[in-house]
Amino acid sequence: MFELKSGLKDRTTSRAYPADEQGTALNQHFWMPFSANRDFRANPRMIAGAEGRYYIDDQGRKLFDSLSGLWTCGAGHNREEIQKAVAAQLGTLDFAPGFQIGHPLAFKLAEKVASLTPAGLDHVFFTNSGSEAADTSVKMAKAYWRLKGKPEKTRMIGRAKGYHGVNIGGTSLGGIGGNRKHYGQLMDVTHLPIRCKRAMPILVAKRKPALSWPMRCWIKLPCTMRRPLPP
């Protein structure tokens, strides 16, 4: 735990910022994403630890982690069995490059993932994040059409209000205008709004996928035509 204190000044601006008990000023050197940085430094919200489904702030309060560690801690924080597994792996090998060198556990994990996917989806390509996965998917789609002799097929279709990360590909495909306003479109993407004929609770009750065919979702195309999503 640490206690925020005031009085330290950032050496570049001479503004007073809070600091932890080690005297580390909350200066402007750390540029926080998706954050109003000046407001944060004036009123910092600091996390000191985590346990299970909760974060613990610098005042000892428990905060429910509704984002699962920004989608990286779906099993919960500080799980003892995960700590042991990570420690055991670090004691043997901390990193193995995937370029012309392999590691048995990478192949084992790929086999496990392939066993859970529908027939025909039996190849696994690992990436480091969702943003990198989105960009890699764009590259694969472009490469596919070039190999098919149609390099002119470059336009992508995204969903309005969708989020696909913050790399160039994901920012372009995402349907959040605020994420693109400083950069322009970046890629040739058409964003289509989606509206559904039936209410989501019906599907939840029947345990069907969110965008299953019985839901009869319709896409409103720019030319005002409406076509159902394929099954």
Side-chain angles (χ1 to χ4, degrees):
M1 297 292 181
F2 56 84
E3 180 182 357
L4 295 179
K5 301 176 182 179
S6 61
L8 293 184
K9 295 183 178 180
D10 178 80
R11 66 182 181 181
T12 60
T13 64
S14 297
R15 292 183 58 185
Y17 294 119
D20 61 22
E21 59 188 11
Q22 284 79 35
T24 303
L26 299 181
N27 52 49
Q28 63 179 5
H29 302 299
F30 176 34
W31 198 0
M32 301 173 64
F34 288 98
S35 305
N37 282 259
R38 291 180 181 177
D39 292 339
F40 182 88
R41 291 195 296 272
N43 183 30
R45 297 166 296 282
M46 305 297 289
I47 296 298
E51 191 69 34
R53 293 170 291 177
Y54 296 90
Y55 282 121
I56 303 172
D57 71 4
D58 57 296
Q59 305 298 320
R61 296 173 298 186
K62 298 176 67 175
L63 308 172
F64 182 74
D65 180 13
S66 59
L67 287 180
S68 299
L70 203 59
W71 317 300
T72 63
C73 301
H77 295 279
N78 286 338
R79 292 278 296 270
E80 183 177 358
E81 60 271 39
I82 295 178
Q83 293 180 39
K84 290 181 178 179
V86 171
Q89 181 59 53
L90 288 175
T92 304
L93 177 66
D94 52 359
F95 178 77
F99 295 174
Q100 303 183 38
I101 300 177
H103 185 272
L105 290 181
F107 288 90
K108 184 176 181 180
L109 177 58
E111 182 181 18
K112 177 64 175 179
V113 173
S115 70
L116 301 174
T117 58
L121 297 178
D122 48 12
H123 292 79
V124 179
F125 189 94
F126 292 116
T127 61
N128 294 316
S129 66
S131 294
E132 186 179 340
D135 274 24
T136 302
S137 298
V138 168
K139 289 163 57 179
M140 288 181 173
K142 286 178 172 289
Y144 172 82
W145 286 114
R146 291 183 69 86
L147 291 172
K148 297 288 286 186
K150 298 182 178 180
E152 70 279 4
K153 293 180 69 66
T154 60
R155 176 173 293 187
M156 302 284 175
I157 296 178
R159 181 172 59 86
K161 298 184 179 180
Y163 177 79
H164 301 289
V166 294
N167 289 357
I168 288 180
T171 300
S172 301
L173 292 170
I176 302 176
N179 289 354
R180 301 192 307 271
K181 67 179 181 180
H182 296 299
Y183 322 111
Q185 183 56 44
L186 299 176
M187 288 174 47
D188 186 10
V189 180
T190 297
H191 295 92
L192 304 179
I194 294 180
R195 63 181 191 177
C196 301
K197 290 286 186 176
R198 298 183 181 179
M200 186 64 69
I202 298 177
L203 291 177
V204 174
K206 294 182 178 180
R207 297 183 178 273
K208 293 182 179 179
L211 290 178
S212 62
W213 181 242
M215 190 175 180
R216 301 291 294 185
C217 286
W218 296 76
I219 296 179
K220 186 177 181 181
L221 299 175
C223 59
T224 70
M225 293 176 59
R226 296 179 184 178
R227 298 178 181 174
L229 288 172

